[in-house]
Structure formats: C-alpha cells, structure tokens
Amino acid sequence: MRNIAFYFFGAAVLCVTVGMFWGIQMGIVHDHTMAPAHAHLNLVGWTTMGLFGLYYTVTPGAAETMLAKVHFALAALGVLCLVPGIAMSVSGGSEGLAIVGSLLTAGSMLIFLVTVFRNGIGRKTA
Ligand code: HEM
C-alpha cells in the first residue's frame, strides 16, 4: 500500500490536469461562467492537496497516523462536493452541494491544524 503523501499528491495532480483542460476549454468557447469552479478545483484540489502531500512527505510521523487517513478522506470528499457544487450554484442550481463541500473542506483544514501542532514539521530526531 502506498503512503498517504502519495494519495494526496496523486489527487492533486489529477485535479490540476482536469483543471487546466477545463481552463483551456473555457478559453476556447469564450465562456468563463465556470471560472469560480475551475479556480477552486485548482486552488483547493491542486495547491492545497499538493501542500498536504508535501507536508506528509517531510513529516513521516504524521503520515502514519489514522488521523492522516481521515484527513485525506475529508479533503478528497470536500473537493468532490465543492467543485460540482460551485458549478451547480453558478448555473443557477442549488447551493446545497457547495455548502456540504465547503464544510468538508474546512473540516479537513481543522484536522490539518491539529496535525501540524501535534507533529510539527520534519522528521523527529532521536
Ligand atoms: C492550462 C492552465 C489554465 C488555463 C488555460 C486557465 C484558464 C482560465 C480562464 C479562461 C479563466 C477565466 C478568466 C476570467 O473570467 O477572467 C481562469 C480563471 C481563474 N483561474 Fe485558471 N487556468 C489555468 C490554470 C489555473 C491554475 C493552475 C490555477 C490555480 C492554481 C488557476 C486559478 C484561476 C483563478 C483563481 C481564476 C479566477 C476565477 C474567478 O475569477 O472566479 N488557473 N482560468
């Protein structure tokens, strides 16, 4: 089984790949309606998840905990709800999914806050 840093970084790279082609598509059709959804896919999906992945790479003690797995589940589910939720919302649909996604995403950041204060950053020295 791969470590949690790989899952965070793998998800981040998937997000930015989709996000970039989405940006190109918006540019081609000259319709930027989905810009807020595209921006959140890139900023929460790529930048934030990627930073989590880098953190767990340099802090292996934190990566081995159950909390790290819960963190990944919440963060991934957050992006999966937030981005379609924003797309629905800017298309005139319900805001419900965006609200769920934003709460999951904020929850994942609270877990990260606890993780950073518990484990610090970097390898523990003997
Ligand atoms: C191939 C790469 C990309 C393309 C072609 C692209 C294209 C676009 C386009 C066409 C817009 C709409 C601009 C407007 O309405 O004024 C946009 C907005 C935006 N993009 Fe991208 N983008 C790319 C990558 C990224 C990345 C990597 C990030 C962040 C890490 C990002 C963040 C944003 C943000 C913050 C906005 C503004 C959203 C808003 O005003 O609501 N984009 N992009």
Side-chain angles (χ1 to χ4, degrees):
M1 178 157 162
R2 294 184 191 264
N3 65 28
I4 206 73
F6 171 83
Y7 288 109
F8 270 114
F9 221 74
V13 172
L14 272 176
C15 287
V16 76
T17 306
V18 174
M20 283 184 170
F21 282 104
W22 197 357
I24 292 168
Q25 181 269 344
M26 286 194 303
I28 290 171
V29 300
H30 300 290
D31 180 356
H32 298 177
T33 313
M34 290 295 155
H38 153 89
H40 283 79
L41 178 62
N42 284 325
L43 292 170
V44 181
W46 166 233
T47 314
T48 307
M49 297 266 275
L51 282 173
F52 291 153
L54 289 179
Y55 171 81
Y56 285 114
T57 301
V58 299
T59 316
E64 285 152 15
T65 63
M66 178 52 77
L67 195 61
K69 293 186 177 72
V70 176
H71 181 203
F72 176 75
L74 232 64
L77 210 60
V79 174
L80 285 174
C81 292
L82 184 63
V83 174
I86 293 172
M88 279 169 64
S89 175
V90 296
S91 312
S94 158
E95 292 176 357
L97 195 61
I99 292 169
V100 171
S102 63
L103 292 174
L104 287 167
T105 300
S108 82
M109 194 52 85
L110 285 178
I111 290 180
F112 191 55
L113 181 75
V114 171
T115 301
V116 168
F117 280 95
R118 254 191 205 167
N119 300 280
I121 186 163
R123 283 174 194 278
K124 283 212 164 54
T125 45

